[in-house]
Structure formats: structure tokens, C-alpha cells
Amino acid sequence: MKNKIKFNNIFIFLILISVAFSCQSDDDMPTETPISVSFEVIISEGNTLRVLANNTSTGIGGLNSYWQFTENGEVVADQAGPEMYLYSASGDYLITLTVEAPNGDIQSSQTITITGEDYVPPALKDATSSFSVGMAVRSNRLTGQHNEVLVRDFNNITAEYEMKMDQIFKAENNMDFTASDKIVDYGIANSMDIHGHTLIWHNATPTWVENFSGTNAEFETMIETYITTVVKRYAGKVRSWDVVNEAVEDGSNSLRNSVFKLKMGDDYIEKCYQFARNADPNALLFYNDYNITFDAGKQASVFALVDDLKSKNLIDGIGAQMHISIDFPTKAQIESVVNGTISRGLLIHFSELDVRVNPNNDITSLTEEREIAQQNKVKEVVEIYDAIPNANKFAITIWGMRDSESWLPDFWGNPEWALLYDDDFKPKKAHNGFLEALD
Ligand code: G3I
């Protein structure tokens, strides 16, 4: 439903211009519809910052026309279409429709007033019932405005780092569940699905495990004990697990030479999934990796690895991390991993979505243009996900809340604004992009 906007102090200029063409004598000249340029403005009820302009001009058949939306005095959108613009704040804004008529441009302008300050966009989790919307969380960010955003927008949480081995497995006879319990208890208290991340990852292996001096058999027993203890502790609470994360080398079809591979053998992955399956037969088990949209060698290896696990009923889904940029990977590349997963009858989790707006380090602040590009990319990703069969849906998880809390600036060494909320916890255009995909 859309409400017509109430105009205040607005002058709607309906410009009725009749243009006479002198190419024939009056008496046999066909009667031309005079050109009249006009439009009406509508604001969607669902989002008081989104402006829709409806072209009501007549006699402009075959003529080019374009829209200019201004914000704070500057033209922020100069476009043939769509006749829509999402403002970032309330205010008075000029909108102009220009028609390129034979005798020169004809314009119609309106100034609209929108009051979007108190606007709270619809909750992400309420925008779909076919998959859950997840957020990466930390145990020291579960209160205040973090909590407000979490309970409003999300129904699935992943520990960004505190359920990894290097945070729990302090020594062979010492497992510290303080932080992981806090996160799990929060998820249970707020009726959220909890995604366990991750039992086995070469980048989160405690140094003492890397340097384990016992026999390989003792190492394997220790890893079985670890996986069994953790998964049993959270059975019935943690609905799903990334049992193994990032086991395949970039650009290749080989497994990383992690300490697990070296001490437990090439079949360490199958063993770890078996340990997890035995510990909680009801948990959904995922394999999680990055760049498996465009890295064909890696994607093929992951699918082969998953096929083997599936043949032994040891896996339920694939996590495609989705650490992407505004212009990469392409829709087709993203769909390639989706289709490969669906064809295997598995769940797919977009498990760590963030969208870099500064991949070439060429901006020092978030521009309107990059923010809109990010909104469009998020919309594309969510549209791809929402188009898959419900039977294969699981969740889309965003890898961090506020732009300033992302792992990316430290990792890449340049400014980034890759998430859905700004530093004031205010939803960005990317948040709207997520919603638009589900409109
Ligand atoms: O919060 C503590 C702080 O109290 C302490 O002083 C400091 C120094 O020890 O460490 C801080 O914790 C760090 C944490 O990030 C928060 O900044 C951990 O050491 C650090 O290891 C952790 O890094 C995480 C990384 O995985 C390794 O676990 C990142 O947050 C997290 O975004 C990143 O996520 C990974 C996924 O799990 C797998 N896919 C790739 C993705 C990005 O690397």
C-alpha cells in the first residue's frame, strides 16, 4: 500500500505547454496532444524515507525524460529511471522531471517534505519466514544497543570467534566455556537459532595443539574428546555446526596441510564429522569455506569433499561465507555454488556476509554512490538466496553489526564500511537492500 504524501508549502507546477509544429498547413495538420509535464509524489508506507515519483505527463510519447532527486541542495540521483529514491534522513527535497521536447527541455519540479527521523525499518527477521537471519556476535556485545538490534532484526546468531578451539581449549585438560556459554545462553533466552562456529579451523588452533608432542593416536583421541565434549555440551541448544572450516587450499584441489591432516590423516575430515554426528545426531552439520563462488578449483574440491561426507550421511549443508565486494563476485558466480549445493540436496548457508565498498582503497569516507552500490549488491545476494527452494534454505548470516566492528579494515589495512549498520546502530541503505529483496 502506498499513501499519497500530504504537501505543505509545496507548489506543484503543472506546466501545460502546447507545442505547435509548423511542418504542414493548418487545415491538414494532425492534432498533436499538447505536451504537459507533471508528476505526483508518493511515499511508501513501509519506509517513510523512500520516495516514489509517478510520471503523470501527457503528450511526451517518444521523448526522453529523466529525474533529478536532490538532498541537502545537491543532486544525488540523476536518472532516467527508476522513479525512486531512498533518502537517508528527513528534510525538504526538490525533485525535478525533465522532458526533452523538440523545442527545448520542459521541466516540472516539486519540493517534498519527509519526516523520516523516527523511522524504524521493518525487522529483517520478519521479512521472511523461509530462512533465518543471522548475526555474528561477541559475548561482550550482547547488551544495550547491540541487544536492541539483535532482538529486533535477528533470529540466528553465530559466535564470531568465542566458540573456536583457540578460545575454548586452553590446555589438554582445560576447556573454558565462559564466553561460549554466555553466547549460547543469550541465544536461548531470546529464542534464536545458534550456529556453532567452528570446531576445526587451522586458523583458530591453539599453539599447544599445533605443537602437540604425543602420538598421532593420542592426538586423534584428544580431538575426538574435544569435539564430543563441546557438541554434547550444547546438544539441543546449538542447532547447527561448522564442523570443519576452510580445509581446502585456495585455487587448488588439495587439502591444507593442517596439523589435523598431518596427525590424523587425509580422512581427518570424515573422522571429525563422525565425532560430531555421534555427539549430537540432531545437529545440522555444515562444511564452511570462502571464495567458493568464483574459485572453480576450490569449489570443485569442496563439492567432492561434501559428496564423500554426504555418501556417509555425515553432512547436511554447505556454508558459503560470502565475504564479497560491491562488484564481485557476479550473480552467476554466486549462483554456481548455490546450484551445486541444491543439486546435492543440501542446505546452503550464506554464513559470513559482508560487502566491501572500498576494495580498491580509493575512498576515505563512505560515499552516497558506494552506499547505493552496496544496497544493490545486498539486494542481489538476498534475491539469489530467496529464490532457492525452501527445502535448501537455512540462513543468511551477516558478519558483524556496525561498520566499525568489522574484521575487514584490520585484515585489508584500509577503511571499509561493509555491514548493514553505521556507528550509531542506524540501518544503512544496505539494510534496506536486504528488505527490498524480500518485498
Ligand atoms: O576481544 C579480544 C581482546 O579482549 C584481546 O585483548 C585481543 C588480543 O588477544 O583479542 C580479542 O579477540 C580477538 C577477536 O577477533 C576480537 O577482535 C581475537 O584475538 C581474534 O582471534 C578474533 O579474530 C576473529 C578471527 O575470525 C579469528 O578467530 C575475527 O573477529 C573474526 O571476524 C574472524 O572470522 C573468520 C571466520 O571465523 C572464518 N571465516 C573468515 C573470517 C574472517 O577471518
Side-chain angles (χ1 to χ4, degrees):
M1 271 297 284
K2 294 181 173 49
N3 282 341
K4 289 204 182 318
I5 186 170
K6 292 179 181 59
F7 298 99
N8 28 342
N9 297 332
I10 282 180
F11 299 99
I12 299 179
F13 298 101
L14 279 181
I15 301 164
L16 286 175
I17 308 276
S18 64
V19 178
F21 297 94
S22 56
C23 54
Q24 289 165 316
S25 62
D26 286 353
D27 43 6
D28 59 8
M29 185 178 130
T31 53
E32 293 283 337
T33 309
I35 296 176
S36 116
V37 178
S38 63
F39 63 95
E40 60 180 3
V41 171
I42 304 160
I43 287 195
S44 64
E45 203 171 61
N47 182 344
T48 53
L49 291 174
R50 182 163 55 188
V51 172
L52 305 168
N54 177 25
N55 192 339
T56 54
S57 305
T58 55
I60 62 169
L63 301 179
N64 290 329
S65 60
Y66 59 92
W67 299 88
Q68 289 180 314
F69 295 85
T70 67
E71 186 162 6
N72 305 324
E74 62 172 274
V75 174
V76 290
D78 193 347
Q79 57 200 45
E83 304 152 33
M84 186 278 282
Y85 186 71
L86 176 68
Y87 283 99
S88 52
S90 59
D92 294 328
Y93 305 119
L94 181 70
I95 301 173
T96 300
L97 170 63
T98 301
V99 170
E100 296 170 349
N103 293 347
D105 287 357
I106 304 171
Q107 291 190 327
S108 169
S109 294
Q110 298 177 31
T111 298
I112 58 131
T113 299
I114 50 177
T115 55
E117 256 151 10
D118 56 355
Y119 170 68
V120 176
L124 297 180
K125 69 183 182 186
D126 296 339
T128 176
S129 57
S130 61
F131 62 92
S132 55
V133 184
M135 171 54 68
V137 299
R138 298 182 185 181
S139 65
N140 64 351
R141 292 176 182 166
L142 299 174
T143 58
Q145 289 183 276
H146 284 101
N147 171 61
E148 286 169 23
V149 171
L150 282 169
V151 298
R152 185 186 71 224
D153 268 340
F154 298 94
N155 50 15
N156 193 318
I157 55 174
T158 298
E160 186 175 4
Y161 72 100
E162 290 162 296
M163 289 179 75
K164 293 170 183 171
M165 191 187 280
D166 63 346
Q167 303 295 320
I168 292 175
F169 211 2
K170 298 303 184 184
E172 191 164 355
N173 299 306
N174 174 18
M175 295 185 199
D176 181 356
F177 294 103
T178 308
S180 51
D181 282 355
K182 197 173 169 190
I183 289 170
V184 171
D185 292 347
Y186 178 86
I188 298 297
N190 290 287
S191 306
M192 295 168 175
D193 287 341
I194 302 160
H195 181 68
H197 175 80
T198 175
L199 294 167
I200 299 292
W201 183 30
H202 67 279
N203 268 351
T205 305
T207 306
W208 70 267
V209 172
E210 294 281 3
N211 302 329
F212 185 77
S213 57
T215 66
N216 289 352
E218 288 165 340
F219 182 89
E220 182 168 321
T221 301
M222 178 178 73
I223 297 303
E224 179 175 10
T225 302
Y226 173 75
I227 292 175
T228 305
T229 305
V230 175
V231 174
K232 276 188 180 297
R233 181 182 187 89
Y234 297 124
K237 294 180 177 178
V238 171
R239 177 170 175 247
S240 51
W241 281 100
D242 290 335
V243 177
V244 174
N245 182 56
E246 302 176 17
V248 176
E249 286 288 4
D250 290 345
S252 77
N253 56 5
S254 58
L255 295 178
R256 296 177 190 275
N257 278 319
S258 66
V259 66
F260 307 102
K261 179 173 180 285
L262 296 173
K263 288 183 176 296
M264 294 169 65
D266 285 5
D267 61 345
Y268 84 92
I269 294 174
E270 177 189 338
K271 290 173 179 173
C272 291
Y273 279 82
Q274 190 64 69
F275 299 153
R277 188 66 99 199
N278 295 343
D280 182 0
N282 298 318
L284 296 170
L285 307 184
F286 283 78
Y287 174 80
N288 193 55
D289 216 326
Y290 65 89
N291 290 2
I292 55 178
T293 52
F294 66 89
D295 181 337
K298 188 170 193 177
Q299 184 188 91
S301 294
V302 166
F303 283 146
L305 179 162
V306 163
D307 286 340
D308 179 59
L309 291 171
K310 188 169 185 302
S311 69
K312 295 153 185 163
N313 185 33
L314 291 178
I315 192 163
D316 304 291
I318 292 176
Q321 293 181 7
M322 300 296 286
H323 294 298
I324 65 175
S325 300
I326 46 177
D327 53 5
F328 185 79
T330 63
K331 183 171 186 287
Q333 288 169 322
I334 297 169
E335 287 171 336
S336 72
V337 71
V338 170
N339 295 336
T341 304
I342 292 170
S343 65
R344 289 167 170 80
L346 294 170
L347 299 170
I348 178 137
H349 180 197
F350 282 177
S351 57
E352 305 181 13
L353 179 63
D354 41 36
V355 182
R356 294 167 66 199
V357 294
N358 192 22
N360 304 317
N361 193 19
D362 58 347
I363 54 174
T364 54
S365 63
L366 180 56
T367 62
E368 181 87 17
E369 180 222 0
R370 295 292 169 88
E371 200 175 355
I372 290 172
Q374 186 182 55
Q375 172 184 359
N376 293 335
K377 194 63 175 180
V378 167
K379 181 181 176 187
E380 177 189 278
V381 168
V382 177
E383 282 174 339
I384 292 169
Y385 195 87
D386 195 37
I388 68 180
N390 285 349
N392 303 95
K393 287 175 180 170
F394 173 71
I396 296 178
T397 296
I398 312 296
W399 205 245
M401 189 174 291
R402 294 186 288 171
D403 284 339
S404 57
E405 297 169 341
S406 170
W407 68 287
L408 287 163
D410 289 344
F411 184 80
W412 291 106
N414 60 253
E416 259 305 344
W417 302 268
L419 300 172
L420 303 189
Y421 304 85
D422 67 18
D423 288 357
D424 299 323
F425 294 92
K426 183 165 164 278
K428 293 159 60 187
K429 293 185 189 304
H431 184 283
N432 203 60
F434 198 111
L435 291 167
E436 282 177 335
L438 301 170
D439 245 357

